[in-house]
Amino acid sequence: MAQIELIAPTLFGLEALTAKEVRDLGYETISVEDGRVTFRGDEYAICRANLWLRTAERVLVKLGEFEATTYDELFEKTKALPWFDWIPEDAEFPVKGYSLKSKLFSVPDCQSIIKKAVVEKLKQKYNQTWFEEKGPRYQIQFSLFKDKATLMIDTSGEGLHKRGYRENANEAPLRETLAAAMVMLSVWKPGKAFIDPFCGSGTIPIEAALIGANIAPGLEREFVSQNWDRVPKDLWWKARKEAHEQIKNNADFHIYGSDIDPKAAALSKENASLAGVEEYITIKQLPVAEIQSQEEYGCIICNPPYGERLGEIKEIEKLYRQMGQVFKKFDTWSYYILTSHEKFEDHFGKKADKKRKLYNGMLKCDLYQYFGPKPPKTSAELRMQNAENLTIL
């Protein structure tokens, strides 16, 4: 199979995590830029990346990249790309994209020019004067940034954050890709205690359970490229078989979630069941003041309310002060708190060990990271370390 350049768009702040995921799948990263990771793979990589990437938003095939400062230039250079390598005669191929800091700033005009150029290219290949576009969908995407045009085809369809388990959500749901990133940025590992005291629709506990059991996040959903001739169905079957075989069916861990809202607690339970991870998760209706654990070490990972609406700020700041008091009980735990409130530390009563800028949709947030002491090594870990030392000697 030929090597293909693929692009994994990400939420801002998650690029390094996505790049690591790509490398863990065995693929070479070409570049890591704001909001995207470019890597090299083949048709099988399209299947595996769609199934496994937890923090990417999509998987795109990169058709080409070039400078374009006039519409003639955009047309001719788009037309020169090998569209017929991917798009069959009966395909539906709409165009969408964006333009930032570029001379070609009109998105509708760029859409029209790119569409016309692709049609002209396909006319040459298929000897057609008209395309009905009733077949499989090949969504063409373009970006124009500082006069550099990048042309791509979307292999995912719906965004990768749509895992398929969250048919219903609460009022302000956390995107699944961001929830997975919060877990991956923490020190939590299966077997370590885990609490989310603001679980909402259950996204953080569910993503943690998927990670703990090594379940591919895209395993239970469909992708638009499953209908493409270029990506044979046997590759999808092979990739899904591989993913099923890598599930840790006997994983030993448990995750606790709670929410003061009974509807949110019920929704979390429902979504955990839809995700197939209900055996790993316990959800209760509780105010944050009542959370507790017998475990000496663990992680609290949460996305509390931000108070974005007028009139909510004082109430939210009171909640943050309450969190500061409650979390003192967990003085040997680590906790990771996502909020857009710039004065969070002042109200929480403790400065974070580390802050990381992330975006919840278009909303700039910070992940406040508080590191507890490292737990002592277990007997099994000590035996493993001794065995490794003997091997080195």
Side-chain angles (χ1 to χ4, degrees):
M1 289 181 281
Q3 288 291 292
I4 305 161
E5 277 196 45
L6 299 167
I7 294 175
T10 74
L11 295 174
F12 287 110
L14 302 188
E15 299 88 354
L17 273 181
T18 302
K20 182 180 184 304
E21 286 194 89
V22 167
R23 290 191 293 269
D24 287 347
L25 286 173
Y27 302 115
E28 174 195 356
T29 54
I30 299 170
S31 65
V32 180
E33 306 166 273
D34 286 348
R36 67 167 62 173
V37 175
T38 303
F39 63 103
R40 191 172 281 113
D42 54 17
E43 288 83 355
Y44 190 41
I46 292 174
C47 306
R48 297 183 72 234
N50 273 298
L51 287 170
W52 279 104
L53 292 181
R54 299 183 190 277
T55 60
E57 294 301 310
R58 296 181 177 277
V59 178
L60 309 171
V61 173
K62 181 179 172 182
L63 262 288
E65 195 167 68
F66 49 81
E67 296 290 323
T69 57
T70 68
Y71 288 121
D72 283 344
E73 200 173 14
L74 180 63
F75 177 85
E76 293 299 337
K77 290 182 177 180
T78 298
K79 185 181 173 185
L81 297 176
W83 295 101
F84 49 75
D85 284 354
W86 290 91
I87 300 177
E89 188 174 353
D90 64 342
E92 177 189 5
F93 51 101
V95 178
K96 67 178 181 181
Y98 66 88
S99 177
L100 290 172
K101 301 179 182 178
S102 295
K103 293 181 178 65
L104 304 180
F105 57 84
S106 170
V107 171
D109 287 341
C110 291
Q111 284 177 292
S112 178
I113 293 294
I114 291 169
K115 179 75 173 187
K116 184 178 178 182
V118 176
V119 168
E120 290 303 311
K121 185 72 170 186
L122 296 181
K123 278 182 180 180
Q124 294 175 0
K125 173 68 175 178
Y126 298 121
N127 296 316
Q128 292 281 2
T129 57
W130 177 259
F131 295 95
E132 291 190 1
E133 299 193 41
K134 292 184 177 179
R137 187 179 181 89
Y138 292 74
Q139 176 69 63
I140 296 171
Q141 294 201 16
F142 70 89
S143 69
L144 268 163
F145 182 63
K146 294 182 178 178
D147 298 326
K148 184 170 74 174
T150 307
L151 279 295
M152 303 155 285
I153 302 176
D154 177 24
T155 75
S156 302
E158 287 195 302
L160 295 184
H161 68 279
K162 295 190 176 180
R163 319 291 207 207
Y165 63 74
R166 203 166 69 177
E167 294 179 2
N168 299 301
N170 60 352
E171 199 170 303
L174 184 70
R175 187 168 285 207
E176 293 89 334
T177 44
L178 182 53
M182 290 171 66
V183 176
M184 293 163 72
L185 288 167
S186 78
V187 297
W188 181 77
K189 288 182 173 58
K192 195 171 189 177
F194 184 117
I195 297 175
D196 175 5
F198 301 96
C199 66
S201 53
T203 311
I204 294 175
I206 291 169
E207 290 298 319
L210 292 173
I211 290 169
N214 201 38
I215 299 171
L219 195 52
E220 297 303 320
R221 59 159 284 181
E222 302 296 315
F223 303 95
V224 70
S225 50
Q226 289 177 222
N227 299 312
W228 294 4
D229 292 338
R230 178 70 186 261
V231 188
K233 294 190 184 301
D234 65 318
L235 291 185
W236 283 103
W237 180 87
K238 179 183 176 184
R240 289 184 185 276
K241 181 174 182 290
E242 175 196 45
H244 277 291
E245 289 172 348
Q246 292 191 31
I247 294 173
K248 297 176 181 177
N249 291 305
N250 298 316
D252 184 18
F253 65 91
H254 209 80
I255 291 165
Y256 293 89
S258 61
D259 202 286
I260 194 170
D261 182 357
K263 291 182 180 177
L267 187 57
S268 292
K269 291 178 184 178
E270 180 184 325
N271 288 340
S273 179
L274 287 171
V277 292
E278 67 272 25
E279 66 184 289
Y280 302 112
I281 298 174
T282 295
I283 303 290
K284 292 184 178 181
Q285 182 207 343
L286 280 178
V288 67
E290 295 181 20
I291 64 168
Q292 56 186 311
S293 175
Q294 300 300 315
E295 299 292 332
E296 186 175 1
Y297 300 96
C299 284
I300 296 174
I301 305 177
C302 62
N303 176 47
Y306 304 163
E308 291 300 311
R309 292 198 190 94
L310 197 63
E312 289 182 343
I313 299 297
K314 295 297 182 186
E315 186 180 339
I316 294 304
E317 290 172 351
K318 180 181 176 182
L319 173 66
Y320 293 163
R321 289 193 291 272
Q322 183 184 43
M323 287 169 59
Q325 293 301 312
V326 172
F327 286 17
K328 283 181 180 178
K329 298 186 300 183
F330 299 86
D331 59 341
T332 55
W333 285 43
S334 298
Y335 22 97
Y336 302 80
I337 305 161
L338 185 73
T339 178
S340 64
H341 196 302
E342 293 183 356
K343 300 290 185 181
F344 169 78
E345 291 165 306
D346 293 345
H347 299 287
F348 187 69
K350 187 178 181 181
K351 186 173 176 60
D353 295 305
K354 187 177 180 182
K355 283 199 313 184
R356 186 176 183 129
K357 183 168 69 174
L358 297 174
Y359 282 82
N360 188 358
M362 297 301 294
L363 188 63
K364 177 186 168 296
C365 298
D366 282 295
L367 181 64
Y368 294 88
Q369 303 171 61
Y370 297 84
F371 306 131
K374 287 185 178 180
K377 290 184 181 294
T378 64
S379 298
E381 288 172 331
L382 288 171
R383 285 197 299 271
M384 186 177 296
Q385 183 178 330
N386 290 335
E388 288 173 355
N389 291 338
L390 286 171
T391 302
I392 293 168
L393 291 172

